[in-house]
Amino acid sequence: MKKNIMIFGDSNTWGWNPINDLVNPIVRWDDEIRWPGVLQAELGDDYNVIQEGLNGRTSVWDDPIEEYRCGKDQI
């Protein structure tokens, strides 16, 4: 049976590509380039890495503009 690992993170987990200029369509790094994808490749087939990334997610405080991005509320 595979072991599941969930990566709960921000734009680094989601795969934000720094070439984004917020004018053109948003570009993500490919799965194998994002760090959760690299972790999946290193761990092999015995593991299932679940990527739960959200751009702008905070860890413990509320964002006054984008309230739904507070990680402590989502966990």
Side-chain angles (χ1 to χ4, degrees):
M1 180 191 320
K2 286 188 175 189
K3 296 175 184 166
N4 291 313
I5 300 172
M6 185 181 79
I7 307 295
F8 185 81
D10 59 8
S11 57
N12 290 320
T13 302
W14 183 83
W16 181 268
N17 188 320
I19 67 166
N20 288 317
D21 58 14
L22 302 179
V23 175
N24 293 305
I26 300 296
V27 177
R28 285 175 94 174
W29 291 110
D30 292 335
D31 284 337
E32 63 273 2
I33 295 175
R34 291 180 230 155
W35 78 266
V38 172
L39 177 64
Q40 175 70 68
E42 290 294 317
L43 292 174
D45 292 335
D46 291 337
Y47 292 86
N48 181 35
V49 176
I50 303 163
Q51 301 180 33
E52 177 51 44
L54 175 65
N55 294 324
R57 179 178 278 152
T58 62
S59 56
V60 295
W61 62 84
D62 293 322
D63 185 318
I65 297 169
E66 296 178 297
E67 298 170 356
Y68 63 93
R69 295 188 185 241
C70 181
K72 72 178 170 85
D73 294 340
Q74 296 168 353
I75 287 183

